[in-house]
Amino acid sequence: MSRPAILAEGITVTYRPYTSRVPLLRKVMSRDGPVVHALDGVGFRAERGGSIGILGKNGAGKSTLLKVLAGTLVPDSGTVEVHGRVSTLLALGSGFNGELSGRRNIMLGCLAAGLSKVETVDLVEPIIEFSELGEAIERRLNTYSSGMVARLAFAIGVSMRPDILMIDEVLSVGDESFRDKSQDAMKQLVDRAGALVLVSHRLRVIRELCTEAVWLHKGRVEKIGTPESVIKAYKQAVRAGKA
């Protein structure tokens, strides 16, 4: 069997919610109190040329899992293997500088992702074209609407031609034509043997874009399978008040 794009096994992330009026130092040092499992033994495999949709209610652990996969959060236990260049869209505008123009943010974003100066220069115009921001690209980012920031973030993420693209709800922002364009870009990535990990509350998007789905419930994997089967089980659980 070929090496997968992502292999996650036994991922556990815990924290202790501090609600009492205990001094801060004692809160940090104490090991007493209840433990909340944001993720509890989560594991799955993402193949090259495949796309995985992660679904579940708020607080199920979806965004936490994406942060672990992206390497921005270290789990308490478990292992993650990621093979290939990763581009992440975990929070719109994270890492952007609002005082700089859209163009400058493109350049800084590409360089921060590890691209060379030559690669960055070559990508600037294609990114601007994809974003459809026009003359606004020369304005400061803090004058942009959330939809404009979404366009810029997504354009940067996909234009770097990553092997693996991880997205957290970015498609919920922007107009319909740009969402369609974004979906086409993701399909092209998967078609060239890349891998897509998509966290979304929009079940229709997961059904249309993904080859597999993972349903998280209270930090645990409730079901893995085809998008149709997982979404059906999830909807049934929601109607029964069990999700």
Side-chain angles (χ1 to χ4, degrees):
M1 184 178 295
S2 61
R3 187 169 65 174
I6 301 172
L7 180 61
E9 296 180 318
I11 302 301
T12 298
V13 175
T14 60
Y15 66 92
R16 287 180 170 83
Y18 296 108
T19 56
S20 62
R21 295 182 179 179
V22 180
L24 179 60
L25 181 59
R26 286 179 57 193
K27 289 182 182 180
V28 173
M29 298 300 293
S30 174
R31 294 188 178 181
D32 299 326
V35 173
V36 174
H37 292 274
L39 296 174
D40 188 4
V42 172
F44 72 94
R45 180 186 180 101
E47 302 294 346
R48 299 179 187 277
S51 50
I52 289 187
I54 302 174
L55 58 93
K57 283 195 167 182
N58 289 335
K62 304 184 301 297
S63 295
T64 300
L65 175 58
L66 211 59
K67 290 176 183 177
V68 172
L69 299 178
T72 60
L73 177 64
V74 178
D76 294 296
S77 62
T79 60
V80 177
E81 296 179 17
V82 178
H83 304 288
R85 187 166 72 177
V86 177
S87 181
T88 62
L89 297 174
L90 303 184
L92 291 180
S94 62
F96 282 161
N97 187 327
E99 296 300 317
L100 298 179
S101 68
R103 182 184 294 273
R104 290 291 296 169
N105 273 286
I106 290 172
M107 298 180 69
L108 291 177
C110 290
L111 291 172
L115 273 63
S116 68
K117 290 184 178 180
V118 173
E119 290 173 321
T120 296
V121 170
D122 289 342
L123 279 177
V124 170
E125 292 305 324
I127 289 173
I128 294 173
E129 181 179 356
F130 188 99
S131 71
E132 301 176 358
L133 290 175
E135 295 179 356
I137 201 68
E138 308 300 344
R139 300 203 322 251
R140 294 198 313 273
L141 202 75
N142 57 19
T143 66
Y144 285 18
S145 67
S146 60
M148 293 168 72
V149 174
R151 288 171 180 263
L152 187 61
F154 191 88
I156 294 172
V158 299
S159 296
M160 290 189 293
R161 296 182 67 83
D163 301 308
I164 303 168
L165 181 62
M166 300 182 186
I167 304 178
D168 191 352
E169 291 291 0
V170 70
L171 293 181
S172 63
V173 183
D175 58 32
E176 184 175 355
S177 63
F178 189 77
R179 289 198 296 269
D180 290 343
K181 184 176 182 178
S182 300
Q183 290 183 25
D184 288 342
M186 288 187 290
K187 289 176 181 177
Q188 291 174 19
L189 179 145
V190 173
D191 287 344
R192 63 174 185 263
L196 171 69
V197 181
L198 170 65
V199 167
S200 181
H201 290 286
R202 301 174 64 204
L203 301 182
R204 180 182 63 82
V205 172
I206 290 179
R207 184 183 287 111
E208 292 177 357
L209 287 181
C210 299
T211 56
E212 192 171 23
V214 178
W215 168 20
L216 290 183
H217 179 60
K218 295 182 178 180
R220 299 183 66 87
V221 174
E222 195 72 17
K223 184 177 178 63
I224 298 178
T226 64
E228 196 63 43
S229 65
V230 173
I231 289 172
K232 180 179 179 180
Y234 174 68
K235 285 183 172 180
Q236 290 174 341
V238 169
R239 287 194 293 267
K242 297 180 180 180

